[in-house]
Amino acid sequence: MARNRSDWIAAGALLVAAFAVAFPLVREAWDNSQKPSVTIDAPSPRKTIKSPFGANGTWSHVSASDDLWLIVRSGIEGRWYPVGRLPKLPDHTWKTAGNAIQPALGAQQIEIFRVPETADATLINYINGRADPGLSGLPAEAERLAGEDLTVAP
């Protein structure tokens, strides 16, 4: 009978060890299988807004190796103007400073892109003043996750 009991204890310990190893791997695979998503909660879409302004929203399922970038796309000339990399806060929100976005007057679009850290050099160079005003294109790896049409007024 002692052998039966020790077999059960050994089997239970093996089961606990297997679960302890497998659970983090399964959880990581599940998290990685979820599609990234972003919302823009403010400013409201199709709104007329005064410049400068800020923005905020939520994010989920964005890999730690990916950055979120807020980019203004001119509705007038069609060029992209990176505003900055967004902080992925622990409560799954993001926000800019209240005066971070200063687009030209008229039709504009604010967009959020997911960009791998390995592909955001063009955007960083723009922010650091080492690129021409406005970009004619974005990195090929950039994925648009959200966007809002706005009209910027004086």
Side-chain angles (χ1 to χ4, degrees), residues 43-51 53 70-81 83 101-111 144 147-153:
S44 301
R46 296 178 200 19
K47 184 177 181 182
T48 298
I49 193 162
K50 291 185 178 185
S51 181
F53 59 92
L70 188 141
I71 299 174
V72 173
R73 179 136 195 228
S74 171
I76 299 163
E77 62 189 50
R79 295 179 72 81
W80 283 274
Y81 296 87
V83 173
I101 307 168
Q102 300 179 31
L105 301 179
Q108 306 291 339
Q109 187 170 56
I110 59 171
E111 300 178 314
R144 183 181 182 272
E148 301 288 354
D149 294 322
L150 303 170
T151 301
V152 180

PDB file of all heavy atoms in Angstrom, residues 43-51 53 70-81 83 101-111 144 147-153:
ATOM      1  N   PRO A  43      -9.680  62.833 -29.742  1.00  0.00           N
ATOM      2  CA  PRO A  43     -10.908  63.568 -30.029  1.00  0.00           C
ATOM      3  C   PRO A  43     -11.918  62.697 -30.771  1.00  0.00           C
ATOM      4  O   PRO A  43     -11.571  61.658 -31.334  1.00  0.00           O
ATOM      5  CB  PRO A  43     -10.435  64.724 -30.917  1.00  0.00           C
ATOM      6  CG  PRO A  43      -9.206  64.207 -31.580  1.00  0.00           C
ATOM      7  CD  PRO A  43      -8.565  63.264 -30.602  1.00  0.00           C
ATOM      8  N   SER A  44     -13.152  63.149 -30.753  1.00  0.00           N
ATOM      9  CA  SER A  44     -14.233  62.430 -31.425  1.00  0.00           C
ATOM     10  C   SER A  44     -14.061  62.531 -32.938  1.00  0.00           C
ATOM     11  O   SER A  44     -13.580  63.535 -33.444  1.00  0.00           O
ATOM     12  CB  SER A  44     -15.586  63.017 -31.029  1.00  0.00           C
ATOM     13  OG  SER A  44     -15.753  62.922 -29.642  1.00  0.00           O
ATOM     14  N   PRO A  45     -14.502  61.499 -33.660  1.00  0.00           N
ATOM     15  CA  PRO A  45     -14.373  61.541 -35.120  1.00  0.00           C
ATOM     16  C   PRO A  45     -15.264  62.610 -35.752  1.00  0.00           C
ATOM     17  O   PRO A  45     -16.295  62.977 -35.201  1.00  0.00           O
ATOM     18  CB  PRO A  45     -14.809  60.140 -35.552  1.00  0.00           C
ATOM     19  CG  PRO A  45     -15.649  59.631 -34.432  1.00  0.00           C
ATOM     20  CD  PRO A  45     -15.126  60.279 -33.182  1.00  0.00           C
ATOM     21  N   ARG A  46     -14.821  63.075 -36.904  1.00  0.00           N
ATOM     22  CA  ARG A  46     -15.554  64.056 -37.709  1.00  0.00           C
ATOM     23  C   ARG A  46     -15.876  65.331 -36.943  1.00  0.00           C
ATOM     24  O   ARG A  46     -16.879  65.980 -37.178  1.00  0.00           O
ATOM     25  CB  ARG A  46     -16.819  63.446 -38.286  1.00  0.00           C
ATOM     26  CG  ARG A  46     -16.525  62.310 -39.254  1.00  0.00           C
ATOM     27  CD  ARG A  46     -17.779  61.701 -39.754  1.00  0.00           C
ATOM     28  NE  ARG A  46     -17.782  60.395 -40.310  1.00  0.00           N
ATOM     29  CZ  ARG A  46     -16.917  59.410 -40.216  1.00  0.00           C
ATOM     30  NH1 ARG A  46     -15.831  59.552 -39.561  1.00  0.00           N
ATOM     31  NH2 ARG A  46     -17.096  58.251 -40.784  1.00  0.00           N
ATOM     32  N   LYS A  47     -15.016  65.667 -36.010  1.00  0.00           N
ATOM     33  CA  LYS A  47     -15.213  66.838 -35.174  1.00  0.00           C
ATOM     34  C   LYS A  47     -14.336  67.980 -35.685  1.00  0.00           C
ATOM     35  O   LYS A  47     -13.269  67.757 -36.237  1.00  0.00           O
ATOM     36  CB  LYS A  47     -14.827  66.482 -33.734  1.00  0.00           C
ATOM     37  CG  LYS A  47     -15.063  67.566 -32.734  1.00  0.00           C
ATOM     38  CD  LYS A  47     -14.720  67.076 -31.333  1.00  0.00           C
ATOM     39  CE  LYS A  47     -14.985  68.176 -30.319  1.00  0.00           C
ATOM     40  NZ  LYS A  47     -14.633  67.786 -28.979  1.00  0.00           N
ATOM     41  N   THR A  48     -14.807  69.199 -35.505  1.00  0.00           N
ATOM     42  CA  THR A  48     -13.971  70.367 -35.759  1.00  0.00           C
ATOM     43  C   THR A  48     -13.281  70.697 -34.446  1.00  0.00           C
ATOM     44  O   THR A  48     -13.928  70.801 -33.403  1.00  0.00           O
ATOM     45  CB  THR A  48     -14.811  71.556 -36.251  1.00  0.00           C
ATOM     46  OG1 THR A  48     -15.430  71.180 -37.485  1.00  0.00           O
ATOM     47  CG2 THR A  48     -13.941  72.777 -36.471  1.00  0.00           C
ATOM     48  N   ILE A  49     -11.967  70.823 -34.501  1.00  0.00           N
ATOM     49  CA  ILE A  49     -11.177  70.975 -33.287  1.00  0.00           C
ATOM     50  C   ILE A  49     -10.138  72.065 -33.497  1.00  0.00           C
ATOM     51  O   ILE A  49      -9.685  72.292 -34.609  1.00  0.00           O
ATOM     52  CB  ILE A  49     -10.528  69.620 -32.906  1.00  0.00           C
ATOM     53  CG1 ILE A  49      -9.967  69.643 -31.506  1.00  0.00           C
ATOM     54  CG2 ILE A  49      -9.507  69.188 -33.932  1.00  0.00           C
ATOM     55  CD1 ILE A  49      -9.718  68.262 -30.947  1.00  0.00           C
ATOM     56  N   LYS A  50      -9.769  72.738 -32.416  1.00  0.00           N
ATOM     57  CA  LYS A  50      -8.732  73.775 -32.478  1.00  0.00           C
ATOM     58  C   LYS A  50      -7.376  73.143 -32.197  1.00  0.00           C
ATOM     59  O   LYS A  50      -7.252  72.261 -31.356  1.00  0.00           O
ATOM     60  CB  LYS A  50      -9.022  74.881 -31.470  1.00  0.00           C
ATOM     61  CG  LYS A  50     -10.237  75.708 -31.839  1.00  0.00           C
ATOM     62  CD  LYS A  50     -10.422  76.861 -30.893  1.00  0.00           C
ATOM     63  CE  LYS A  50     -11.630  77.674 -31.346  1.00  0.00           C
ATOM     64  NZ  LYS A  50     -11.809  78.872 -30.567  1.00  0.00           N
ATOM     65  N   SER A  51      -6.377  73.652 -32.897  1.00  0.00           N
ATOM     66  CA  SER A  51      -5.014  73.177 -32.707  1.00  0.00           C
ATOM     67  C   SER A  51      -4.308  74.107 -31.714  1.00  0.00           C
ATOM     68  O   SER A  51      -4.563  75.306 -31.724  1.00  0.00           O
ATOM     69  CB  SER A  51      -4.290  73.210 -34.054  1.00  0.00           C
ATOM     70  OG  SER A  51      -2.980  72.740 -33.936  1.00  0.00           O
ATOM     71  N   PHE A  53      -3.994  70.108 -29.834  1.00  0.00           N
ATOM     72  CA  PHE A  53      -4.878  69.272 -29.034  1.00  0.00           C
ATOM     73  C   PHE A  53      -4.180  67.971 -28.670  1.00  0.00           C
ATOM     74  O   PHE A  53      -3.102  67.671 -29.175  1.00  0.00           O
ATOM     75  CB  PHE A  53      -6.204  69.003 -29.769  1.00  0.00           C
ATOM     76  CG  PHE A  53      -6.039  68.319 -31.098  1.00  0.00           C
ATOM     77  CD1 PHE A  53      -6.077  66.939 -31.194  1.00  0.00           C
ATOM     78  CD2 PHE A  53      -5.845  69.055 -32.260  1.00  0.00           C
ATOM     79  CE1 PHE A  53      -5.929  66.304 -32.419  1.00  0.00           C
ATOM     80  CE2 PHE A  53      -5.701  68.439 -33.488  1.00  0.00           C
ATOM     81  CZ  PHE A  53      -5.737  67.050 -33.570  1.00  0.00           C
ATOM     82  N   LEU A  70       1.417  57.593 -33.175  1.00  0.00           N
ATOM     83  CA  LEU A  70       0.347  58.487 -33.599  1.00  0.00           C
ATOM     84  C   LEU A  70       0.900  59.311 -34.755  1.00  0.00           C
ATOM     85  O   LEU A  70       1.962  59.934 -34.624  1.00  0.00           O
ATOM     86  CB  LEU A  70      -0.099  59.403 -32.468  1.00  0.00           C
ATOM     87  CG  LEU A  70      -1.352  60.224 -32.810  1.00  0.00           C
ATOM     88  CD1 LEU A  70      -2.258  60.308 -31.608  1.00  0.00           C
ATOM     89  CD2 LEU A  70      -1.003  61.587 -33.313  1.00  0.00           C
ATOM     90  N   ILE A  71       0.188  59.284 -35.866  1.00  0.00           N
ATOM     91  CA  ILE A  71       0.638  59.965 -37.075  1.00  0.00           C
ATOM     92  C   ILE A  71      -0.538  60.755 -37.635  1.00  0.00           C
ATOM     93  O   ILE A  71      -1.658  60.242 -37.713  1.00  0.00           O
ATOM     94  CB  ILE A  71       1.158  58.946 -38.111  1.00  0.00           C
ATOM     95  CG1 ILE A  71       2.350  58.184 -37.513  1.00  0.00           C
ATOM     96  CG2 ILE A  71       1.526  59.640 -39.420  1.00  0.00           C
ATOM     97  CD1 ILE A  71       2.878  57.059 -38.357  1.00  0.00           C
ATOM     98  N   VAL A  72      -0.288  62.005 -38.008  1.00  0.00           N
ATOM     99  CA  VAL A  72      -1.306  62.821 -38.669  1.00  0.00           C
ATOM    100  C   VAL A  72      -1.108  62.662 -40.170  1.00  0.00           C
ATOM    101  O   VAL A  72       0.006  62.790 -40.674  1.00  0.00           O
ATOM    102  CB  VAL A  72      -1.186  64.313 -38.271  1.00  0.00           C
ATOM    103  CG1 VAL A  72      -2.137  65.172 -39.099  1.00  0.00           C
ATOM    104  CG2 VAL A  72      -1.459  64.495 -36.785  1.00  0.00           C
ATOM    105  N   ARG A  73      -2.196  62.356 -40.860  1.00  0.00           N
ATOM    106  CA  ARG A  73      -2.154  62.290 -42.320  1.00  0.00           C
ATOM    107  C   ARG A  73      -2.926  63.487 -42.843  1.00  0.00           C
ATOM    108  O   ARG A  73      -4.103  63.672 -42.538  1.00  0.00           O
ATOM    109  CB  ARG A  73      -2.778  61.008 -42.835  1.00  0.00           C
ATOM    110  CG  ARG A  73      -2.740  60.972 -44.356  1.00  0.00           C
ATOM    111  CD  ARG A  73      -2.317  59.642 -44.858  1.00  0.00           C
ATOM    112  NE  ARG A  73      -1.958  59.741 -46.270  1.00  0.00           N
ATOM    113  CZ  ARG A  73      -2.391  58.915 -47.182  1.00  0.00           C
ATOM    114  NH1 ARG A  73      -3.189  57.925 -46.843  1.00  0.00           N
ATOM    115  NH2 ARG A  73      -2.012  59.054 -48.423  1.00  0.00           N
ATOM    116  N   SER A  74      -2.238  64.279 -43.632  1.00  0.00           N
ATOM    117  CA  SER A  74      -2.859  65.481 -44.174  1.00  0.00           C
ATOM    118  C   SER A  74      -3.923  65.121 -45.189  1.00  0.00           C
ATOM    119  O   SER A  74      -3.660  64.391 -46.146  1.00  0.00           O
ATOM    120  CB  SER A  74      -1.793  66.365 -44.824  1.00  0.00           C
ATOM    121  OG  SER A  74      -2.419  67.420 -45.519  1.00  0.00           O
ATOM    122  N   GLY A  75      -5.117  65.658 -44.972  1.00  0.00           N
ATOM    123  CA  GLY A  75      -6.185  65.478 -45.941  1.00  0.00           C
ATOM    124  C   GLY A  75      -6.017  66.381 -47.141  1.00  0.00           C
ATOM    125  O   GLY A  75      -6.726  66.242 -48.137  1.00  0.00           O
ATOM    126  N   ILE A  76      -5.073  67.283 -47.069  1.00  0.00           N
ATOM    127  CA  ILE A  76      -4.841  68.240 -48.147  1.00  0.00           C
ATOM    128  C   ILE A  76      -3.778  67.706 -49.112  1.00  0.00           C
ATOM    129  O   ILE A  76      -3.981  67.649 -50.309  1.00  0.00           O
ATOM    130  CB  ILE A  76      -4.423  69.616 -47.564  1.00  0.00           C
ATOM    131  CG1 ILE A  76      -5.556  70.134 -46.673  1.00  0.00           C
ATOM    132  CG2 ILE A  76      -4.072  70.600 -48.668  1.00  0.00           C
ATOM    133  CD1 ILE A  76      -5.142  71.236 -45.736  1.00  0.00           C
ATOM    134  N   GLU A  77      -2.639  67.291 -48.573  1.00  0.00           N
ATOM    135  CA  GLU A  77      -1.531  66.855 -49.427  1.00  0.00           C
ATOM    136  C   GLU A  77      -1.247  65.367 -49.367  1.00  0.00           C
ATOM    137  O   GLU A  77      -0.465  64.853 -50.142  1.00  0.00           O
ATOM    138  CB  GLU A  77      -0.267  67.636 -49.070  1.00  0.00           C
ATOM    139  CG  GLU A  77       0.149  67.367 -47.644  1.00  0.00           C
ATOM    140  CD  GLU A  77       1.264  68.251 -47.149  1.00  0.00           C
ATOM    141  OE1 GLU A  77       1.176  69.473 -47.295  1.00  0.00           O
ATOM    142  OE2 GLU A  77       2.226  67.678 -46.605  1.00  0.00           O
ATOM    143  N   GLY A  78      -1.853  64.660 -48.396  1.00  0.00           N
ATOM    144  CA  GLY A  78      -1.681  63.213 -48.310  1.00  0.00           C
ATOM    145  C   GLY A  78      -0.383  62.738 -47.696  1.00  0.00           C
ATOM    146  O   GLY A  78      -0.080  61.555 -47.739  1.00  0.00           O
ATOM    147  N   ARG A  79       0.408  63.627 -47.092  1.00  0.00           N
ATOM    148  CA  ARG A  79       1.661  63.213 -46.468  1.00  0.00           C
ATOM    149  C   ARG A  79       1.416  62.839 -45.004  1.00  0.00           C
ATOM    150  O   ARG A  79       0.422  63.233 -44.407  1.00  0.00           O
ATOM    151  CB  ARG A  79       2.701  64.326 -46.590  1.00  0.00           C
ATOM    152  CG  ARG A  79       3.083  64.583 -48.063  1.00  0.00           C
ATOM    153  CD  ARG A  79       4.092  65.686 -48.218  1.00  0.00           C
ATOM    154  NE  ARG A  79       5.435  65.344 -47.771  1.00  0.00           N
ATOM    155  CZ  ARG A  79       6.328  64.650 -48.491  1.00  0.00           C
ATOM    156  NH1 ARG A  79       6.007  64.199 -49.680  1.00  0.00           N
ATOM    157  NH2 ARG A  79       7.527  64.423 -48.002  1.00  0.00           N
ATOM    158  N   TRP A  80       2.352  62.078 -44.436  1.00  0.00           N
ATOM    159  CA  TRP A  80       2.256  61.638 -43.056  1.00  0.00           C
ATOM    160  C   TRP A  80       3.181  62.477 -42.191  1.00  0.00           C
ATOM    161  O   TRP A  80       4.321  62.738 -42.559  1.00  0.00           O
ATOM    162  CB  TRP A  80       2.656  60.173 -42.923  1.00  0.00           C
ATOM    163  CG  TRP A  80       1.608  59.217 -43.364  1.00  0.00           C
ATOM    164  CD1 TRP A  80       0.575  58.732 -42.622  1.00  0.00           C
ATOM    165  CD2 TRP A  80       1.488  58.593 -44.646  1.00  0.00           C
ATOM    166  NE1 TRP A  80      -0.171  57.854 -43.363  1.00  0.00           N
ATOM    167  CE2 TRP A  80       0.365  57.759 -44.614  1.00  0.00           C
ATOM    168  CE3 TRP A  80       2.220  58.675 -45.830  1.00  0.00           C
ATOM    169  CZ2 TRP A  80      -0.040  56.998 -45.689  1.00  0.00           C
ATOM    170  CZ3 TRP A  80       1.821  57.926 -46.909  1.00  0.00           C
ATOM    171  CH2 TRP A  80       0.698  57.094 -46.838  1.00  0.00           C
ATOM    172  N   TYR A  81       2.670  62.853 -41.013  1.00  0.00           N
ATOM    173  CA  TYR A  81       3.425  63.654 -40.050  1.00  0.00           C
ATOM    174  C   TYR A  81       3.431  62.929 -38.698  1.00  0.00           C
ATOM    175  O   TYR A  81       2.485  63.061 -37.919  1.00  0.00           O
ATOM    176  CB  TYR A  81       2.807  65.049 -39.913  1.00  0.00           C
ATOM    177  CG  TYR A  81       2.873  65.842 -41.192  1.00  0.00           C
ATOM    178  CD1 TYR A  81       1.876  65.734 -42.148  1.00  0.00           C
ATOM    179  CD2 TYR A  81       3.957  66.674 -41.445  1.00  0.00           C
ATOM    180  CE1 TYR A  81       1.955  66.448 -43.346  1.00  0.00           C
ATOM    181  CE2 TYR A  81       4.041  67.396 -42.638  1.00  0.00           C
ATOM    182  CZ  TYR A  81       3.035  67.268 -43.578  1.00  0.00           C
ATOM    183  OH  TYR A  81       3.117  67.960 -44.758  1.00  0.00           O
ATOM    184  N   VAL A  83       3.660  62.178 -34.987  1.00  0.00           N
ATOM    185  CA  VAL A  83       3.579  63.000 -33.780  1.00  0.00           C
ATOM    186  C   VAL A  83       4.468  62.406 -32.705  1.00  0.00           C
ATOM    187  O   VAL A  83       5.166  63.105 -31.998  1.00  0.00           O
ATOM    188  CB  VAL A  83       2.117  63.121 -33.291  1.00  0.00           C
ATOM    189  CG1 VAL A  83       2.039  63.822 -31.946  1.00  0.00           C
ATOM    190  CG2 VAL A  83       1.274  63.823 -34.334  1.00  0.00           C
ATOM    191  N   ILE A 101      -0.511  67.504 -30.494  1.00  0.00           N
ATOM    192  CA  ILE A 101      -0.869  67.397 -31.909  1.00  0.00           C
ATOM    193  C   ILE A 101      -1.143  68.797 -32.442  1.00  0.00           C
ATOM    194  O   ILE A 101      -2.051  69.480 -31.973  1.00  0.00           O
ATOM    195  CB  ILE A 101      -2.090  66.469 -32.086  1.00  0.00           C
ATOM    196  CG1 ILE A 101      -1.828  65.129 -31.400  1.00  0.00           C
ATOM    197  CG2 ILE A 101      -2.405  66.276 -33.563  1.00  0.00           C
ATOM    198  CD1 ILE A 101      -3.048  64.253 -31.255  1.00  0.00           C
ATOM    199  N   GLN A 102      -0.348  69.210 -33.423  1.00  0.00           N
ATOM    200  CA  GLN A 102      -0.444  70.578 -33.962  1.00  0.00           C
ATOM    201  C   GLN A 102      -0.475  70.531 -35.492  1.00  0.00           C
ATOM    202  O   GLN A 102       0.440  71.009 -36.153  1.00  0.00           O
ATOM    203  CB  GLN A 102       0.726  71.412 -33.481  1.00  0.00           C
ATOM    204  CG  GLN A 102       0.791  71.514 -31.979  1.00  0.00           C
ATOM    205  CD  GLN A 102       1.982  72.333 -31.515  1.00  0.00           C
ATOM    206  OE1 GLN A 102       2.427  73.251 -32.183  1.00  0.00           O
ATOM    207  NE2 GLN A 102       2.488  71.996 -30.345  1.00  0.00           N
ATOM    208  N   PRO A 103      -1.525  69.982 -36.074  1.00  0.00           N
ATOM    209  CA  PRO A 103      -1.565  69.878 -37.532  1.00  0.00           C
ATOM    210  C   PRO A 103      -1.941  71.202 -38.191  1.00  0.00           C
ATOM    211  O   PRO A 103      -2.378  72.143 -37.539  1.00  0.00           O
ATOM    212  CB  PRO A 103      -2.661  68.838 -37.767  1.00  0.00           C
ATOM    213  CG  PRO A 103      -3.579  69.021 -36.606  1.00  0.00           C
ATOM    214  CD  PRO A 103      -2.689  69.394 -35.444  1.00  0.00           C
ATOM    215  N   ALA A 104      -1.800  71.242 -39.501  1.00  0.00           N
ATOM    216  CA  ALA A 104      -2.230  72.403 -40.279  1.00  0.00           C
ATOM    217  C   ALA A 104      -3.752  72.501 -40.226  1.00  0.00           C
ATOM    218  O   ALA A 104      -4.444  71.548 -39.864  1.00  0.00           O
ATOM    219  CB  ALA A 104      -1.763  72.251 -41.724  1.00  0.00           C
ATOM    220  N   LEU A 105      -4.267  73.659 -40.607  1.00  0.00           N
ATOM    221  CA  LEU A 105      -5.716  73.861 -40.651  1.00  0.00           C
ATOM    222  C   LEU A 105      -6.316  73.050 -41.795  1.00  0.00           C
ATOM    223  O   LEU A 105      -5.656  72.766 -42.788  1.00  0.00           O
ATOM    224  CB  LEU A 105      -6.032  75.344 -40.851  1.00  0.00           C
ATOM    225  CG  LEU A 105      -5.495  76.299 -39.786  1.00  0.00           C
ATOM    226  CD1 LEU A 105      -5.865  77.736 -40.131  1.00  0.00           C
ATOM    227  CD2 LEU A 105      -5.998  75.925 -38.407  1.00  0.00           C
ATOM    228  N   GLY A 106      -7.570  72.657 -41.610  1.00  0.00           N
ATOM    229  CA  GLY A 106      -8.285  71.933 -42.657  1.00  0.00           C
ATOM    230  C   GLY A 106      -8.482  70.468 -42.326  1.00  0.00           C
ATOM    231  O   GLY A 106      -8.370  70.043 -41.176  1.00  0.00           O
ATOM    232  N   ALA A 107      -8.778  69.699 -43.358  1.00  0.00           N
ATOM    233  CA  ALA A 107      -9.064  68.265 -43.194  1.00  0.00           C
ATOM    234  C   ALA A 107      -7.784  67.510 -42.835  1.00  0.00           C
ATOM    235  O   ALA A 107      -6.770  67.629 -43.524  1.00  0.00           O
ATOM    236  CB  ALA A 107      -9.670  67.712 -44.474  1.00  0.00           C
ATOM    237  N   GLN A 108      -7.850  66.756 -41.756  1.00  0.00           N
ATOM    238  CA  GLN A 108      -6.719  65.958 -41.292  1.00  0.00           C
ATOM    239  C   GLN A 108      -7.242  64.621 -40.788  1.00  0.00           C
ATOM    240  O   GLN A 108      -8.424  64.469 -40.496  1.00  0.00           O
ATOM    241  CB  GLN A 108      -5.968  66.665 -40.155  1.00  0.00           C
ATOM    242  CG  GLN A 108      -5.513  68.073 -40.452  1.00  0.00           C
ATOM    243  CD  GLN A 108      -4.407  68.132 -41.491  1.00  0.00           C
ATOM    244  OE1 GLN A 108      -3.699  67.169 -41.741  1.00  0.00           O
ATOM    245  NE2 GLN A 108      -4.276  69.290 -42.132  1.00  0.00           N
ATOM    246  N   GLN A 109      -6.349  63.677 -40.675  1.00  0.00           N
ATOM    247  CA  GLN A 109      -6.716  62.384 -40.095  1.00  0.00           C
ATOM    248  C   GLN A 109      -5.645  62.022 -39.074  1.00  0.00           C
ATOM    249  O   GLN A 109      -4.446  62.103 -39.381  1.00  0.00           O
ATOM    250  CB  GLN A 109      -6.813  61.316 -41.179  1.00  0.00           C
ATOM    251  CG  GLN A 109      -7.357  60.006 -40.657  1.00  0.00           C
ATOM    252  CD  GLN A 109      -7.661  59.039 -41.783  1.00  0.00           C
ATOM    253  OE1 GLN A 109      -6.797  58.726 -42.583  1.00  0.00           O
ATOM    254  NE2 GLN A 109      -8.887  58.575 -41.827  1.00  0.00           N
ATOM    255  N   ILE A 110      -6.078  61.661 -37.855  1.00  0.00           N
ATOM    256  CA  ILE A 110      -5.113  61.126 -36.898  1.00  0.00           C
ATOM    257  C   ILE A 110      -5.229  59.609 -36.972  1.00  0.00           C
ATOM    258  O   ILE A 110      -6.330  59.053 -37.019  1.00  0.00           O
ATOM    259  CB  ILE A 110      -5.294  61.669 -35.464  1.00  0.00           C
ATOM    260  CG1 ILE A 110      -6.668  61.364 -34.888  1.00  0.00           C
ATOM    261  CG2 ILE A 110      -5.002  63.157 -35.409  1.00  0.00           C
ATOM    262  CD1 ILE A 110      -6.776  61.694 -33.411  1.00  0.00           C
ATOM    263  N   GLU A 111      -4.069  58.952 -37.017  1.00  0.00           N
ATOM    264  CA  GLU A 111      -4.028  57.504 -37.180  1.00  0.00           C
ATOM    265  C   GLU A 111      -3.054  56.904 -36.177  1.00  0.00           C
ATOM    266  O   GLU A 111      -2.063  57.538 -35.807  1.00  0.00           O
ATOM    267  CB  GLU A 111      -3.585  57.141 -38.601  1.00  0.00           C
ATOM    268  CG  GLU A 111      -4.508  57.673 -39.678  1.00  0.00           C
ATOM    269  CD  GLU A 111      -4.033  57.346 -41.079  1.00  0.00           C
ATOM    270  OE1 GLU A 111      -2.838  57.534 -41.368  1.00  0.00           O
ATOM    271  OE2 GLU A 111      -4.867  56.909 -41.876  1.00  0.00           O
ATOM    272  N   ARG A 144      -1.870  49.980 -39.824  1.00  0.00           N
ATOM    273  CA  ARG A 144      -2.843  50.947 -39.303  1.00  0.00           C
ATOM    274  C   ARG A 144      -3.865  50.199 -38.452  1.00  0.00           C
ATOM    275  O   ARG A 144      -4.517  49.275 -38.916  1.00  0.00           O
ATOM    276  CB  ARG A 144      -3.551  51.662 -40.457  1.00  0.00           C
ATOM    277  CG  ARG A 144      -4.523  52.723 -40.010  1.00  0.00           C
ATOM    278  CD  ARG A 144      -5.190  53.342 -41.255  1.00  0.00           C
ATOM    279  NE  ARG A 144      -6.098  54.400 -40.927  1.00  0.00           N
ATOM    280  CZ  ARG A 144      -7.385  54.227 -40.633  1.00  0.00           C
ATOM    281  NH1 ARG A 144      -7.918  53.030 -40.605  1.00  0.00           N
ATOM    282  NH2 ARG A 144      -8.140  55.269 -40.351  1.00  0.00           N
ATOM    283  N   GLY A 147      -8.064  55.134 -36.887  1.00  0.00           N
ATOM    284  CA  GLY A 147      -7.966  56.441 -37.507  1.00  0.00           C
ATOM    285  C   GLY A 147      -9.251  57.228 -37.340  1.00  0.00           C
ATOM    286  O   GLY A 147     -10.335  56.642 -37.240  1.00  0.00           O
ATOM    287  N   GLU A 148      -9.132  58.547 -37.268  1.00  0.00           N
ATOM    288  CA  GLU A 148     -10.277  59.451 -37.134  1.00  0.00           C
ATOM    289  C   GLU A 148     -10.101  60.640 -38.069  1.00  0.00           C
ATOM    290  O   GLU A 148      -9.022  61.219 -38.137  1.00  0.00           O
ATOM    291  CB  GLU A 148     -10.397  59.987 -35.692  1.00  0.00           C
ATOM    292  CG  GLU A 148     -10.561  58.946 -34.610  1.00  0.00           C
ATOM    293  CD  GLU A 148     -11.921  58.285 -34.596  1.00  0.00           C
ATOM    294  OE1 GLU A 148     -12.813  58.693 -35.365  1.00  0.00           O
ATOM    295  OE2 GLU A 148     -12.107  57.360 -33.808  1.00  0.00           O
ATOM    296  N   ASP A 149     -11.156  61.001 -38.778  1.00  0.00           N
ATOM    297  CA  ASP A 149     -11.165  62.205 -39.607  1.00  0.00           C
ATOM    298  C   ASP A 149     -11.530  63.405 -38.756  1.00  0.00           C
ATOM    299  O   ASP A 149     -12.480  63.335 -37.962  1.00  0.00           O
ATOM    300  CB  ASP A 149     -12.186  62.069 -40.745  1.00  0.00           C
ATOM    301  CG  ASP A 149     -11.795  60.992 -41.736  1.00  0.00           C
ATOM    302  OD1 ASP A 149     -10.595  60.851 -42.025  1.00  0.00           O
ATOM    303  OD2 ASP A 149     -12.697  60.285 -42.219  1.00  0.00           O
ATOM    304  N   LEU A 150     -10.783  64.499 -38.927  1.00  0.00           N
ATOM    305  CA  LEU A 150     -11.015  65.721 -38.172  1.00  0.00           C
ATOM    306  C   LEU A 150     -10.915  66.926 -39.101  1.00  0.00           C
ATOM    307  O   LEU A 150     -10.279  66.855 -40.146  1.00  0.00           O
ATOM    308  CB  LEU A 150      -9.959  65.912 -37.078  1.00  0.00           C
ATOM    309  CG  LEU A 150      -9.787  64.816 -36.049  1.00  0.00           C
ATOM    310  CD1 LEU A 150      -8.556  65.081 -35.222  1.00  0.00           C
ATOM    311  CD2 LEU A 150     -11.006  64.729 -35.163  1.00  0.00           C
ATOM    312  N   THR A 151     -11.498  68.013 -38.657  1.00  0.00           N
ATOM    313  CA  THR A 151     -11.263  69.293 -39.304  1.00  0.00           C
ATOM    314  C   THR A 151     -10.622  70.192 -38.273  1.00  0.00           C
ATOM    315  O   THR A 151     -11.143  70.353 -37.162  1.00  0.00           O
ATOM    316  CB  THR A 151     -12.589  69.923 -39.801  1.00  0.00           C
ATOM    317  OG1 THR A 151     -13.192  69.016 -40.722  1.00  0.00           O
ATOM    318  CG2 THR A 151     -12.327  71.253 -40.481  1.00  0.00           C
ATOM    319  N   VAL A 152      -9.455  70.735 -38.622  1.00  0.00           N
ATOM    320  CA  VAL A 152      -8.724  71.595 -37.698  1.00  0.00           C
ATOM    321  C   VAL A 152      -9.038  73.039 -38.045  1.00  0.00           C
ATOM    322  O   VAL A 152      -8.909  73.464 -39.185  1.00  0.00           O
ATOM    323  CB  VAL A 152      -7.211  71.322 -37.762  1.00  0.00           C
ATOM    324  CG1 VAL A 152      -6.467  72.230 -36.783  1.00  0.00           C
ATOM    325  CG2 VAL A 152      -6.930  69.856 -37.464  1.00  0.00           C
ATOM    326  N   ALA A 153      -9.510  73.789 -37.041  1.00  0.00           N
ATOM    327  CA  ALA A 153      -9.914  75.183 -37.213  1.00  0.00           C
ATOM    328  C   ALA A 153      -8.980  76.101 -36.435  1.00  0.00           C
ATOM    329  O   ALA A 153      -8.322  75.657 -35.489  1.00  0.00           O
ATOM    330  CB  ALA A 153     -11.355  75.368 -36.724  1.00  0.00           C
TER     331      ALA A 153
END
